[in-house]
Amino acid sequence: MKSYYYDHSASTPMLPIVIQTMGELMKLHYANPAALHRSGAEAMKLVDRARASIGERMGAEPEEVVFTSGGTESNNLAIKGSVNKAARTSKHIVTTAVEHASVYESFRQLETFGIETTILPVDGQGKVNPEDVVKAIRKDTVLVSVMQVNNETGVVQPIAEIGRRLSEYPHVRFHVDGVQAVGKVPFSWKKWGVDLYSGSAHKFGGPKGLGFLLVKKGIELAPLLSGGDQEQGIRSGTHNVPGIVAMSQALRLAEESKQSRRENMYAMRQRLLRIVADIPELVLNGVHSDEADAESRTAPHIVNLSYPGMRPEVIIHMLEKHGILVSTQSACSSKSLQPSRVLLAMGHASDRASGSIRISFGDEHAMEDIEILGERLKMVVAKLKPLERNSK
């Protein structure tokens, strides 16, 4: 049976041309870019070109692009680097209850070191109120961190409005986790008043283990890793030249086709929701397609559904038997049997938060794939319905 991969939020397939580029570079440019000989210099030129390319696509100067191992490191560096660099003895940081684990757990870890945190609530769709962000600001606040696109539900946060309001508090840095947004939704990090912006290559057709952090000029961060002076001393470690070049190529391709890809994926999302509307056992967590300004309030590639009372691993394994590959919660939390922290924060009951699945699609999908997905969702739910009581 053919398998259909609907887990792009966890990781996207690498683009064939990106795989080819990376393979060729592994053969030709294996020297350490920090080396003084010619091969090292040639490798460093490739890194510099990739940095300039990423900066151009992201609206940043080349020196504002810091290479990392991925979204988790970028988020950790932005948060902990800001806190550790702040001169204040009393420090306070702000985030929301629906952030990715790499942000949420960073805040929890900093609490153990005496950093005061404020975790802001969200509404029933998972959106934070910009007014709540402003009200949380104190004289000792050093950082606000809010994701652009939620990795479980696809809900888009009001980043531009939050940034506008935070401009009145110049002592506060604004970090945005843009991992699920790059290549899929519009952004303008500087125009929106964002100081630090995280991205991850394997979310837009690039290799795993590569990411970047955009650091606005003038912002200083304390490094997490000590060693060499790579990345202006912010992030030590030998550059992964093939991976960095591959990431820049994948980003260019994703951004160049973003509008058409976004339109295609949003049309598929709308069709899937119409199909789900005929499956009463399933409920949508997030923004409905028929709501006002829906396209600006949700990412086009993520649909989060709950089957209240049914354990998510039961749904996922049954769908897999029928060739449908989806996930539950985020990939980082998918093996947990606990209710989704994000759905609980949105005010949903435990049975709904415990029975959610995440469907996320991408460039290889067409409308006929959504029809197949819908048919098999109906088939699986019909088979599972008699087991509903026993699965609780």
Side-chain angles (χ1 to χ4, degrees):
M1 178 182 292
K2 178 182 176 180
S3 290
Y4 294 81
Y5 180 78
Y6 296 101
D7 199 14
H8 279 240
S9 290
S11 191
T12 58
M14 277 186 70
L15 300 171
I17 191 171
V18 176
I19 295 174
Q20 180 181 347
T21 297
M22 193 168 178
E24 291 175 354
L25 289 170
M26 285 179 172
K27 294 177 184 177
L28 299 173
H29 295 281
Y30 43 78
N32 191 320
L36 296 179
H37 49 66
R38 184 174 59 194
S39 292
E42 290 173 351
M44 183 54 77
K45 285 181 182 178
L46 292 174
V47 172
D48 291 340
R49 289 173 189 165
R51 193 189 308 278
S53 176
I54 290 174
E56 180 182 1
R57 300 295 167 186
M58 299 299 294
E61 298 297 322
E63 60 268 27
E64 293 177 313
V65 179
V66 176
F67 293 126
T68 69
S69 64
T72 291
E73 184 187 346
S74 294
N75 288 337
N76 273 258
L77 177 57
I79 296 165
K80 297 171 185 176
S82 293
V83 169
N84 293 336
K85 194 66 178 180
R88 300 179 184 86
T89 54
S90 175
K91 301 172 186 177
H92 170 244
I93 51 180
V94 179
T95 192
T96 80
V98 294
E99 300 299 308
H100 185 269
S102 59
V103 169
Y104 191 82
E105 295 302 329
S106 289
F107 271 65
R108 291 306 188 196
Q109 184 183 37
L110 287 170
E111 284 182 331
T112 67
F113 295 113
I115 307 300
E116 291 193 60
T117 67
T118 295
I119 310 296
L120 298 173
V122 295
D123 63 18
Q125 291 188 338
K127 180 180 173 183
V128 68
N129 187 336
E131 186 64 29
D132 290 343
V133 177
V134 173
K135 288 180 180 178
I137 301 299
R138 307 184 334 198
K139 290 183 178 180
D140 60 348
T141 304
V142 298
L143 177 81
V144 169
S145 182
V146 180
M147 68 190 341
Q148 186 174 358
V149 172
N150 187 270
N151 54 295
E152 290 190 33
T153 65
V155 171
V156 176
Q157 297 291 3
I159 298 301
E161 176 63 14
I162 294 172
R164 185 186 68 78
R165 289 172 177 255
L166 288 179
S167 65
E168 300 177 11
Y169 303 88
H171 67 287
V172 179
R173 295 179 183 177
F174 185 24
H175 166 245
V176 171
D177 173 0
V179 166
Q180 293 290 346
V182 177
K184 299 181 180 70
V185 301
F187 71 92
S188 182
W189 71 294
K190 286 187 177 179
K191 183 178 179 181
W192 294 350
V194 177
D195 298 306
L196 301 153
Y197 190 91
S198 302
S200 182
H202 76 110
K203 306 297 187 180
F204 50 80
K208 296 178 181 65
L210 272 298
F212 60 82
L213 177 66
L214 303 183
V215 183
K216 186 182 289 185
K217 195 177 297 184
I219 297 291
E220 295 184 356
L221 298 173
L224 299 181
L225 305 175
S226 300
D229 60 355
Q230 293 92 344
E231 298 305 288
Q232 306 171 60
I234 297 175
R235 201 276 185 180
S236 296
T238 302
H239 290 103
N240 179 346
V241 179
I244 288 171
V245 175
M247 174 169 64
S248 72
Q249 183 182 34
L251 179 63
R252 175 179 61 81
L253 294 170
E255 285 295 319
E256 285 178 348
S257 60
K258 179 166 65 177
Q259 185 56 36
S260 60
R261 291 169 51 251
R262 175 175 169 78
E263 291 172 359
N264 289 338
M265 287 189 287
Y266 197 81
M268 289 189 285
R269 183 182 189 274
Q270 289 179 305
R271 176 56 187 152
L272 178 58
L273 294 191
R274 286 195 292 270
I275 294 172
V276 169
D278 293 329
I279 310 175
E281 292 80 8
L282 299 180
V283 291
L284 173 68
N285 302 310
V287 177
H288 290 264
S289 294
D290 58 354
E291 296 180 25
D293 301 322
E295 289 192 37
S296 65
R297 295 192 294 114
T298 185
H301 63 300
I302 300 175
V303 174
N304 189 293
L305 305 170
S306 283
Y307 186 155
M310 184 64 64
R311 297 182 70 86
E313 66 270 22
V314 176
I315 309 173
I316 288 172
H317 292 319
M318 181 67 80
L319 283 170
E320 186 173 8
K321 288 181 179 179
H322 290 81
I324 302 297
L325 306 179
V326 300
S327 64
T328 176
Q329 303 184 33
S330 68
C332 299
S333 306
S334 62
K335 294 183 180 179
S336 170
L337 297 180
Q338 298 299 315
S340 164
R341 169 174 53 82
V342 170
L343 298 186
L344 289 176
M346 290 165 62
H348 297 312
S350 180
D351 65 338
R352 180 166 170 176
S354 298
S356 68
I357 61 171
R358 180 184 65 183
I359 299 167
S360 49
F361 31 82
D363 296 340
E364 77 270 27
H365 297 123
M367 200 62 76
E368 51 262 36
D369 298 312
I370 301 302
E371 298 298 334
I372 292 171
L373 170 61
E375 291 172 5
R376 297 185 187 177
L377 273 174
K378 291 179 180 179
M379 183 190 310
V380 165
V381 169
K383 290 182 177 181
L384 290 177
K385 191 172 181 180
L387 306 176
E388 183 175 336
R389 292 181 181 178
N390 295 330
S391 67
K392 295 181 181 180

